[in-house]
Amino acid sequence: MPRLICVIGVTGNQGGSVAQRFLKDPNFKVRGLTRDPASEKARQLAAQGIKIVHADLNDVQSLIRAFKGANLIFSVTQYWEPFFRPDCRQEAEAQGISCRKYAYDVEYQQGRNIADAAATVVDSLESNGFLVSTLSHAGKCSRGATKEAYHFDSKADVFPLYVNERYPDLAAKMSCIQTGCYMTSYRILPTSWYAKQTDGSYRISFTMGPNRPIPHLDVNADMGNFVYAVAQRPPGGHYMAEGETCSWSEVARQWSEITGQKARYEQISETELIAITPDPEYGKEVSDMFTYGDDPGYDGGMDVMRAADLRKAGAGIECPMTSLNDFMRREDWSSVLAQ
């Protein structure tokens, strides 16, 4: 009988990739969770054979219903939606807090709701049946030096901290999957990624040192492959989903080689990064992330397994991932080059 995986955020980047990978395996049935089953994307997924069900991360009871009978659950939460939404910014102002802290509160509560609901089906979950997308805890891993990398800590405060504290049986079936820096993120931060300069060259500029490595992930192509491989492992592991780990200087070198454009990486200060970002609050969040990525590192210095480790760990585990070179050669750079 096919095993049932419930995929949160099935119409999004991570959830969509995971659903597509498990859909290829006839040993699995895929149940996709979304707030809007009537959306065009949800209808397309349903036509492919994914069972689409309604679930709202703000509604624990809807999650309990959606998780019924699950053998595996893929969990992902969303910081950036409440961060950018105008109504959420208005609510943050009304509460007298930053939009960054407001988005932390929303994501943290949604993560707790997922955990609370997953705990009700812990008996039907496989031994490694709770596969959670998360990040390292910036506050703890930096020993308090990084206090406001909110989109890291809003995940890690639940996965694994809340689950470990509140639901030991669920924690025993959990694997924590960190995600590298999205290769596609240049599209939402053009002032720091491949920004055209007055001399016609292009610049990447963050607060990280020029030779400090950072993991890079082609999320749409590879998250599903990585989660599928992790699902074949024993529970309890910490992982980093990445196709390549290298410095920003190396990113600039590869991009220059592929596009034929002159490019460089320049380390800038937090003040400078915030100043060149149209949304200052976004600039602050990104700056704190990359300052943390510089020390102690994007993964917080944790011992994490990567795709190469998974392939070595057990016979038959395949985990194909996309290199930066392959991503760059496939990507359409016309919008960047037209600056």
Side-chain angles (χ1 to χ4, degrees):
M1 184 174 180
R3 299 138 71 192
L4 173 63
I5 180 170
C6 293
V7 179
I8 293 173
V10 72
T11 61
N13 292 322
Q14 293 191 37
S17 182
V18 171
Q20 291 295 335
R21 178 61 188 88
F22 279 85
L23 190 63
K24 294 177 181 177
D25 188 338
N27 295 306
F28 283 96
K29 293 188 300 181
V30 180
R31 180 185 294 164
L33 281 58
T34 179
R35 284 174 302 183
D36 185 8
S39 71
E40 178 62 28
K41 181 65 174 177
R43 290 198 298 269
Q44 291 173 1
L45 295 173
Q48 295 177 35
I50 296 172
K51 175 67 175 178
I52 299 296
V53 299
H54 170 265
D56 187 333
L57 299 188
N58 297 307
D59 180 357
V60 176
Q61 291 303 314
S62 74
L63 289 167
I64 291 174
R65 291 190 295 270
F67 288 162
K68 186 176 181 181
N71 302 122
L72 288 87
I73 294 171
F74 172 72
S75 166
V76 61
T77 50
Q78 174 59 273
Y79 176 88
W80 296 111
E81 182 188 16
F83 177 89
F84 283 117
R85 268 176 40 188
D87 60 325
C88 292
R89 295 234 168 163
Q90 293 174 1
E91 180 59 27
E93 185 176 359
Q95 292 183 21
I97 59 177
S98 71
C99 62
R100 299 170 66 197
K101 177 60 166 62
Y102 180 87
Y104 166 93
D105 292 341
V106 171
E107 184 173 31
Y108 174 70
Q109 184 58 57
Q110 290 182 346
R112 285 183 53 150
N113 291 346
I114 292 168
D116 292 347
T120 67
V121 294
V122 67
D123 290 340
S124 70
L125 293 180
E126 297 181 358
S127 61
N128 188 26
F130 194 37
L131 309 172
V132 300
S133 174
T134 188
L135 289 168
S136 60
H137 197 293
K140 294 183 183 298
C141 293
S142 70
R143 298 185 178 181
T146 302
K147 296 180 172 62
E148 294 186 340
Y150 285 114
H151 75 286
F152 275 62
D153 295 354
S154 54
K155 297 171 179 66
D157 275 334
V158 180
F159 309 113
L161 297 181
Y162 175 76
V163 177
N164 286 346
E165 177 183 340
R166 188 72 177 270
Y167 301 113
D169 290 345
L170 182 62
K173 296 185 174 185
M174 179 172 64
S175 288
C176 293
I177 303 168
Q178 298 181 36
T179 55
C181 189
Y182 289 6
M183 296 179 189
T184 52
S185 288
Y186 76 89
R187 300 171 189 167
I188 60 174
L189 194 59
T191 53
S192 281
W193 242 299
Y194 315 121
K196 194 168 188 177
Q197 306 300 293
T198 55
D199 65 357
S201 67
Y202 294 81
R203 184 182 80 159
I204 303 173
S205 52
F206 295 115
T207 55
M208 290 184 68
N211 299 312
R212 192 73 166 96
I214 185 170
H216 303 272
L217 172 68
D218 185 352
V219 61
N220 300 94
D222 293 345
M223 189 63 178
N225 292 336
F226 195 85
V227 172
Y228 184 81
V230 170
Q232 299 172 60
R233 294 276 300 158
H238 289 268
Y239 300 86
M240 175 62 72
E242 51 86 59
E244 186 170 340
T245 293
C246 66
S247 68
W248 287 113
S249 294
E250 175 61 14
V251 173
R253 187 198 68 76
Q254 290 193 36
W255 190 81
S256 180
E257 181 180 90
I258 289 167
T259 62
Q261 304 295 317
K262 185 178 179 181
R264 74 184 192 279
Y265 174 72
E266 181 180 343
Q267 183 179 12
I268 59 176
S269 69
E270 295 185 26
T271 300
E272 289 172 316
L273 179 54
I274 294 167
I276 65 173
T277 306
D279 183 337
E281 290 298 304
Y282 187 37
K284 291 176 185 177
E285 187 69 26
V286 170
S287 176
D288 282 344
M289 171 179 68
F290 286 122
T291 299
Y292 170 69
D294 197 58
D295 183 19
Y298 186 91
D299 60 8
M302 296 176 65
D303 183 14
V304 294
M305 292 188 73
R306 300 169 188 259
D309 302 314
L310 287 169
R311 289 191 287 266
K312 295 175 184 176
I317 294 182
E318 298 181 359
C319 191
M321 303 293 280
T322 305
S323 68
L324 269 169
N325 188 284
D326 288 343
F327 170 80
M328 289 178 177
R329 291 188 184 279
R330 189 188 69 217
E331 190 76 353
D332 178 4
W333 296 105
S334 58
S335 63
V336 174
L337 300 178
Q339 292 180 74

